[in-house]
Amino acid sequence: MSLSARRVTLPAITPIVLQKRVIKVYSEDETSRALEVPSDITARDVCQLLILKNHYIDDHSWTLFEHLPHVALERTIEDHELVIEVLSNWGMEEENKLYFRKNYAKYEFFKNPMYFFPEHMVSFATETNGEISPTQILQMFLSSSTYPEIHGFLHSKEQGKKSWKKIYFLLRRSGLYFSTKGTSKEPRHLQFFSEFGNSDIYVSLAGKKKHGAPTNYGFCFKPNKAGGPRDLKMLCAEEEQSRMCWVTAIRLLKYGMQLYQNYMHPYQGRSGYSSQSISPMRSISENSLVAMDFSGQKTRVIENPTEALSVAVEEGLAWRKKGCLRLGSHGSPTASSQSSATNMAIHRSQPWFHHKISREEAQRLIIQQGLVDGVFLVRDSQSNPKTFVLSMSHGQKIKHFQIIPVEDDGEMFHTLDDGHTRFTDLIQLVEFYQLNKGVLPCKLKHYCARIAL
């Protein structure tokens, strides 16, 4: 019995080669950078690439935005979304842009859900026993079995018309509905308005000017595929908190657990810019910080809250008396006893200082980078040329505090509290309120800056 060898020809294996595309990303000062990226790159990957190329600190707030100038709309591109897919929905004639900037509020609803879901806007499909906390509401959004219902009045732009109509809306897992009879939720009075699967939610940047909206808190549904302004489903809320509630709820209903995974595991990208090559930063919770006493031979933790408060007050007094050295514009130390003009101008190089911007522009910048407690900037006062203004976010509202110059023994100081606490320059003032709440509603945490690429 003879054995004969038989030759078997295996089919050739063709390696999968990802196509590369060149994308252009803009920063807030309109500088741009072209990047050659693979076709499966995610928004988070693009951010990571820009962070590495520009040597920025990654605090997980860097975000890619889709900007549509012809209709004055913008949206956060979710970290997991494929950037090339987003670009494929753009029309040839549209001058759309990708923007790279910070968005401190991107996942803030996971940290402080109480700010995003006010009681008067939330109800439940089934009866619940007792009060439901904002955290439980958030868990319901991420659950497949139960869900909260967002409801309230919105202004809606009538299709093909310039007029707006105030209507009662309800947001459910199946889509957005409006009532044809007051605030009735009966099925016979509800009409379907929009679903989430084939459309994205955008925020209006100039609703009053561009679309004749009754307020500046507009948002809309836009079909994924390229379409004209007539395809937009425009809505408008009465205030920022209401708009934020609607937009956040729609994001959660559309993406669900994917958003939570983006928040918990920010380095799980699809392409080569993921956690394999980048080690995550250690994040420090403010709750983990403790008051310390460094005055003795050994440092100790101050456990008594009253003592901690008195130490903070003493520190404030020390800041008043301190004649500390500051670096001048050429890197040489300048004593506070030298000309006060140097101290008055040293802040101009700081990223949190915005020269002659208006109150409206300051508010736009803060809203753009996220209405999170402690987001701030410092600017020149338009009403009084000799003063400055600290603009900051707290409780989803923007507040403005005048920084007044005071003179003492021929020296100029800055103060926020009528001279009780004085600072030789604005840098000293900002550093103090980053550590101490003082007269402010909260500490200064995140500064608004226009970064360049």
Side-chain angles (χ1 to χ4, degrees):
M1 186 175 178
S2 62
L3 294 174
S4 59
R6 199 167 76 178
R7 191 173 179 179
V8 178
T9 305
L10 295 173
I13 299 174
T14 306
I16 298 173
V17 179
L18 289 172
Q19 287 187 327
K20 292 215 167 186
R21 289 272 304 270
V22 175
I23 63 172
K24 199 172 188 180
V25 183
Y26 290 81
S27 67
E28 288 170 302
D29 67 350
E30 294 303 318
T31 57
S32 63
R33 178 172 280 214
L35 301 171
E36 187 180 37
V37 298
S39 58
D40 71 336
I41 196 166
T42 66
R44 175 61 198 174
D45 291 334
V46 171
C47 290
Q48 197 65 44
L49 191 59
L50 289 168
I51 289 165
L52 292 172
K53 284 182 178 293
N54 292 282
H55 308 290
Y56 296 138
I57 294 173
D58 187 7
D59 57 2
H60 305 166
S61 64
W62 292 103
T63 307
L64 207 60
F65 289 84
E66 181 185 11
H67 182 74
L68 314 179
H70 63 296
V71 284
L73 297 175
E74 189 175 83
R75 78 174 180 99
T76 295
I77 302 177
E78 303 295 353
D79 285 343
H80 65 275
E81 287 188 75
L82 300 181
V83 176
I84 304 304
E85 280 188 12
V86 174
L87 269 59
S88 69
N89 294 328
W90 292 359
M92 292 292 292
E93 73 288 349
E94 297 172 349
E95 297 180 355
N96 300 342
K97 292 180 179 179
L98 294 176
Y99 276 89
F100 172 69
R101 66 168 182 265
K102 293 205 170 194
N103 179 14
Y104 296 110
K106 180 164 61 171
Y107 298 125
E108 186 67 14
F109 51 87
F110 286 123
K111 304 172 190 174
N112 295 298
M114 71 289 294
Y115 289 156
F116 291 81
F117 304 108
E119 288 183 22
H120 68 278
M121 291 184 66
V122 185
S123 59
F124 304 92
T126 57
E127 289 296 321
T128 56
N129 296 322
E131 291 186 5
I132 302 294
S133 69
T135 304
Q136 289 173 305
I137 293 170
L138 193 58
Q139 289 170 347
M140 288 181 181
F141 272 114
L142 301 175
S143 166
S144 58
S145 56
T146 59
Y147 62 90
E149 184 179 85
I150 307 298
H151 57 87
F153 281 97
L154 290 169
H155 299 274
S156 173
K157 189 176 184 185
E158 298 189 67
Q159 206 77 12
K161 298 181 181 179
K162 292 185 177 180
S163 58
W164 291 73
K165 192 174 181 181
K166 195 172 184 179
I167 307 173
Y168 189 73
F169 278 85
L170 294 97
L171 180 65
R172 293 175 172 172
R173 197 171 287 280
S174 54
L176 184 65
Y177 299 82
F178 66 91
S179 178
T180 57
K181 190 173 182 180
T183 58
S184 173
K185 296 182 182 181
E186 292 186 34
R188 60 196 177 100
H189 295 145
L190 294 182
Q191 279 196 23
F192 182 75
F193 183 81
S194 181
E195 49 80 45
F196 323 124
N198 298 313
S199 60
D200 289 310
I201 187 78
Y202 290 78
V203 168
S204 178
L205 302 176
K208 280 187 174 182
K209 185 177 179 181
K210 194 79 176 179
H211 305 286
T215 77
N216 282 321
Y217 309 112
F219 61 100
C220 82
F221 290 92
K222 179 184 174 296
N224 289 341
K225 298 303 175 185
R230 292 179 65 90
D231 296 323
L232 301 176
K233 295 189 175 181
M234 304 291 300
L235 295 165
C236 183
E238 292 287 352
E239 58 183 7
E240 180 60 32
Q241 188 186 39
S242 174
R243 174 170 72 172
M244 199 171 289
C245 179
W246 287 103
V247 172
T248 302
I250 290 165
R251 285 177 64 200
L252 282 165
L253 286 175
K254 180 171 182 178
Y255 297 110
M257 282 300 295
Q258 180 65 61
L259 284 191
Y260 188 68
Q261 289 169 9
N262 293 351
Y263 165 62
M264 293 299 292
H265 307 288
Y267 293 97
Q268 288 187 352
R270 286 172 62 108
S271 59
Y273 311 109
S274 62
S275 57
Q276 295 173 359
S277 56
I278 301 151
S279 57
M281 282 176 52
R282 178 188 294 178
S283 62
I284 301 175
S285 166
E286 189 177 299
N287 295 329
S288 67
L289 302 178
V290 294
M292 298 290 292
D293 176 17
F294 296 97
S295 60
Q297 291 183 345
K298 292 184 178 180
T299 59
R300 66 183 182 91
V301 175
I302 304 173
E303 296 181 352
N304 187 329
T306 307
E307 185 186 357
L309 181 60
S310 67
V311 169
V313 172
E314 285 178 18
E315 187 179 346
L317 293 170
W319 277 76
R320 285 176 60 185
K321 298 173 183 175
K322 191 187 292 183
C324 64
L325 294 175
R326 288 289 172 189
L327 285 178
S329 57
H330 299 290
S332 59
T334 57
S336 60
S337 58
Q338 292 183 12
S339 84
S340 58
T342 304
N343 287 340
M344 297 291 278
I346 198 171
H347 55 269
R348 296 193 182 278
S349 62
Q350 298 302 305
W352 41 256
F353 184 74
H354 297 254
H355 193 29
K356 293 181 179 179
I357 65 170
S358 66
R359 184 188 184 99
E360 292 71 26
E361 176 69 4
Q363 293 184 168
R364 186 191 70 79
L365 274 173
I366 292 174
I367 289 173
Q368 199 176 58
Q369 296 200 15
L371 283 179
V372 174
D373 285 0
V375 173
F376 76 97
L377 59 85
V378 180
R379 57 189 173 88
D380 288 309
S381 172
Q382 289 191 314
S383 58
N384 188 343
K386 294 182 179 181
T387 65
F388 301 97
V389 178
L390 170 66
S391 300
M392 66 178 295
S393 171
H394 180 258
Q396 291 194 320
K397 292 183 180 178
I398 298 171
K399 301 176 182 180
H400 307 273
F401 300 88
Q402 197 165 49
I403 302 170
I404 302 170
V406 292
E407 188 174 346
D408 188 8
D409 289 336
E411 285 194 71
M412 295 299 296
F413 297 91
H414 299 283
T415 182
L416 269 175
D417 54 9
D418 296 325
H420 294 293
T421 313
R422 303 176 189 181
F423 307 94
T424 57
D425 55 55
L426 290 184
I427 297 176
Q428 204 179 70
L429 182 145
V430 167
E431 288 177 351
F432 175 80
Y433 287 107
Q434 285 175 322
L435 297 170
N436 305 277
K437 173 182 166 183
V439 293
L440 300 178
C442 67
K443 295 177 189 176
L444 303 180
K445 295 179 184 176
H446 312 290
Y447 59 80
C448 280
R450 286 192 174 101
I451 57 107
L453 286 178

